[in-house]
Coordinates of all heavy atoms in Angstrom, one line a residue:
H225 N 153.6 113.8 103.4 CA 153.2 114.7 104.5 C 154.1 115.9 104.5 O 155.3 115.7 104.8 CB 153.0 114.1 105.8 CG 152.5 115.1 106.9 ND1 151.2 115.5 106.9 CD2 153.1 115.6 107.9 CE1 151.0 116.3 107.8 NE2 152.2 116.3 108.6
G226 N 153.5 117.1 104.5 CA 154.3 118.3 104.5 C 155.0 118.8 103.3 O 155.6 119.9 103.2
I227 N 155.0 118.0 102.2 CA 155.6 118.4 100.9 C 154.5 119.1 100.1 O 153.4 118.6 99.8 CB 156.0 117.1 100.1 CG1 157.1 116.3 100.9 CG2 156.7 117.6 98.7 CD1 157.5 115.0 100.2
P228 N 154.8 120.4 99.8 CA 153.8 121.2 99.0 C 153.4 120.5 97.6 O 154.2 120.0 97.0 CB 154.6 122.5 98.7 CG 155.7 122.5 99.8 CD 156.1 121.1 100.1
G229 N 152.1 120.6 97.5 CA 151.7 120.0 96.2 C 151.3 118.6 96.4 O 150.2 118.0 96.3
L230 N 152.4 117.7 96.7 CA 152.1 116.3 96.9 C 151.3 116.0 98.1 O 150.5 115.0 98.1 CB 153.5 115.6 97.0 CG 154.4 115.6 95.7 CD1 155.7 114.9 95.9 CD2 153.6 115.0 94.5
S231 N 151.4 116.7 99.2 CA 150.6 116.5 100.4 C 149.2 116.7 100.1 O 148.3 116.0 100.6 CB 151.1 117.4 101.5 OG 151.0 118.8 101.2
S232 N 148.8 117.6 99.2 CA 147.4 117.8 98.8 C 147.0 116.8 97.9 O 145.8 116.4 97.9 CB 147.2 119.3 98.2 OG 147.6 120.2 99.0
L233 N 147.8 116.3 97.0 CA 147.5 115.3 96.0 C 147.2 113.9 96.8 O 146.3 113.2 96.2 CB 148.6 115.1 95.0 CG 148.3 114.4 93.7 CD1 147.1 115.0 92.9 CD2 149.5 114.2 92.9
F234 N 147.8 113.7 97.8 CA 147.7 112.4 98.5 C 147.3 112.7 99.9 O 147.9 112.2 100.9 CB 149.0 111.5 98.4 CG 149.4 111.2 97.1 CD1 150.5 111.9 96.5 CD2 148.8 110.2 96.4 CE1 150.9 111.6 95.3 CE2 149.2 109.9 95.1 CZ 150.3 110.6 94.5
A235 N 146.3 113.5 100.2 CA 145.8 113.9 101.4 C 144.4 113.2 101.8 O 143.9 112.5 101.0 CB 145.5 115.4 101.5
G236 N 144.2 113.3 103.2 CA 142.9 112.7 103.5 C 143.0 111.4 104.1 O 144.0 110.7 104.1
P237 N 141.9 111.0 104.9 CA 141.9 109.6 105.4 C 142.0 108.6 104.3 O 141.5 108.8 103.2 CB 140.5 109.6 106.1 CG 139.7 110.6 105.4 CD 140.6 111.6 104.9
P238 N 142.5 107.3 104.6 CA 142.7 106.3 103.7 C 141.4 105.5 103.6 O 141.2 104.6 104.2 CB 143.8 105.5 104.2 CG 143.7 105.7 105.6 CD 143.3 107.1 105.9
Y239 N 140.5 106.0 102.7 CA 139.2 105.3 102.4 C 139.4 103.9 101.8 O 138.6 103.0 102.0 CB 138.2 106.1 101.6 CG 137.8 107.5 102.3 CD1 138.2 108.7 101.8 CD2 136.9 107.4 103.3 CE1 137.9 109.9 102.4 CE2 136.6 108.6 103.8 CZ 137.0 109.8 103.4 OH 136.6 111.0 104.0
G240 N 140.4 103.7 101.0 CA 140.5 102.5 100.2 C 140.0 102.8 98.8 O 140.7 102.5 97.8
I241 N 138.8 103.2 98.8 CA 138.1 103.6 97.5 C 138.4 105.0 97.1 O 138.8 105.7 98.1 CB 136.5 103.3 97.5 CG1 135.9 104.2 98.7 CG2 136.2 101.8 97.8 CD1 134.5 104.1 98.7
G242 N 138.2 105.3 95.9 CA 138.4 106.7 95.5 C 139.0 106.7 94.1 O 139.0 105.7 93.4
L243 N 139.5 108.0 93.7 CA 139.9 108.1 92.3 C 141.2 107.3 91.9 O 141.2 106.7 90.9 CB 140.3 109.6 92.1 CG 139.1 110.6 92.1 CD1 139.6 112.1 92.1 CD2 138.1 110.4 91.0
L244 N 142.0 107.2 92.8 CA 143.3 106.5 92.6 C 143.0 104.9 92.4 O 143.6 104.2 91.6 CB 144.4 106.8 93.6 CG 145.8 105.9 93.5 CD1 146.3 106.4 92.2 CD2 146.6 106.2 94.7
T245 N 142.1 104.5 93.3 CA 141.8 103.0 93.3 C 141.1 102.7 91.9 O 141.5 101.7 91.3 CB 140.9 102.6 94.5 OG1 141.6 103.0 95.7 CG2 140.6 101.1 94.5
S246 N 140.2 103.5 91.6 CA 139.6 103.2 90.3 C 140.5 103.3 89.1 O 140.4 102.6 88.1 CB 138.3 104.2 90.1 OG 138.7 105.5 90.2
S247 N 141.4 104.3 89.2 CA 142.4 104.4 88.1 C 143.3 103.1 88.1 O 143.6 102.7 86.9 CB 143.3 105.7 88.4 OG 142.5 106.8 88.4
L248 N 143.7 102.7 89.2 CA 144.5 101.4 89.2 C 143.7 100.2 88.6 O 144.3 99.5 87.8 CB 145.0 101.0 90.6 CG 146.0 102.1 91.2 CD1 146.3 101.7 92.6 CD2 147.3 102.1 90.3
I249 N 142.4 100.1 89.0 CA 141.6 99.1 88.3 C 141.4 99.3 86.9 O 141.6 98.3 86.1 CB 140.2 99.1 89.0 CG1 140.3 98.7 90.5 CG2 139.3 98.1 88.4 CD1 140.7 97.3 90.8
L250 N 141.2 100.4 86.4 CA 141.2 100.7 84.9 C 142.5 100.3 84.3 O 142.5 99.8 83.1 CB 140.8 102.2 84.7 CG 139.4 102.6 85.0 CD1 139.2 104.1 84.7 CD2 138.5 101.9 84.0
A251 N 143.6 100.7 84.9 CA 144.9 100.4 84.3 C 145.1 98.8 84.1 O 145.6 98.4 83.0 CB 146.0 100.9 85.2
I252 N 144.6 98.0 85.1 CA 144.7 96.6 85.0 C 143.7 96.1 83.8 O 144.1 95.2 83.2 CB 144.3 95.9 86.3 CG1 145.3 96.3 87.4 CG2 144.2 94.5 86.2 CD1 144.8 95.8 88.8
M253 N 142.6 96.8 83.6 CA 141.6 96.4 82.8 C 142.1 96.7 81.3 O 141.9 95.9 80.3 CB 140.3 97.0 83.0 CG 139.7 96.6 84.2 SD 138.0 97.4 84.5 CE 137.1 96.7 83.2
V254 N 142.8 97.8 81.1 CA 143.2 98.2 79.7 C 144.5 97.6 79.3 O 144.9 97.6 78.1 CB 143.2 99.7 79.5 CG1 141.8 100.3 79.9 CG2 144.2 100.4 80.4
L255 N 145.2 97.2 80.2 CA 146.6 96.7 80.1 C 146.7 95.6 79.0 O 147.5 95.5 78.2 CB 147.2 96.2 81.4 CG 148.6 95.6 81.2 CD1 149.6 96.6 80.8 CD2 149.1 95.0 82.6
P256 N 145.7 94.5 79.1 CA 145.8 93.4 78.0 C 145.5 93.9 76.7 O 146.1 93.4 75.7 CB 144.7 92.5 78.5 CG 143.8 93.2 79.4 CD 144.7 94.2 80.1
F257 N 144.6 95.0 76.4 CA 144.4 95.4 75.1 C 145.6 96.1 74.5 O 146.0 95.9 73.4 CB 143.2 96.5 75.2 CG 141.9 95.9 75.5 CD1 141.5 95.9 76.9 CD2 141.1 95.2 74.7 CE1 140.3 95.4 77.3 CE2 139.9 94.8 75.1 CZ 139.5 94.8 76.4
I258 N 146.2 96.9 75.4 CA 147.4 97.7 74.9 C 148.5 96.7 74.6 O 149.2 96.8 73.6 CB 147.9 98.7 75.9 CG1 146.8 99.8 76.0 CG2 149.2 99.4 75.5 CD1 147.1 100.8 77.2
T259 N 148.7 95.8 75.5 CA 149.9 94.7 75.4 C 149.6 94.0 74.1 O 150.6 93.7 73.4 CB 149.9 93.9 76.6 OG1 150.1 94.6 77.8 CG2 151.0 92.8 76.5
S260 N 148.4 93.4 73.9 CA 148.1 92.4 72.8 C 148.3 93.2 71.5 O 149.0 92.7 70.6 CB 146.7 91.9 72.9 OG 146.4 91.1 71.9
I261 N 147.8 94.4 71.4 CA 147.8 95.1 70.0 C 149.3 95.5 69.8 O 149.9 95.3 68.7 CB 146.9 96.3 70.0 CG1 145.5 95.9 70.0 CG2 147.2 97.2 68.8 CD1 144.5 97.0 70.2

Side-chain angles (χ1 to χ4, degrees):
H225 178 71
I227 300 177
L230 293 177
S231 60
S232 300
L233 194 61
F234 301 103
Y239 293 109
I241 59 175
L243 293 173
L244 182 62
T245 304
S246 59
S247 300
L248 295 174
I249 294 294
L250 285 177
I252 296 173
M253 294 181 66
V254 304
L255 181 63
F257 295 95
I258 297 174
T259 301
S260 178
I261 293 178

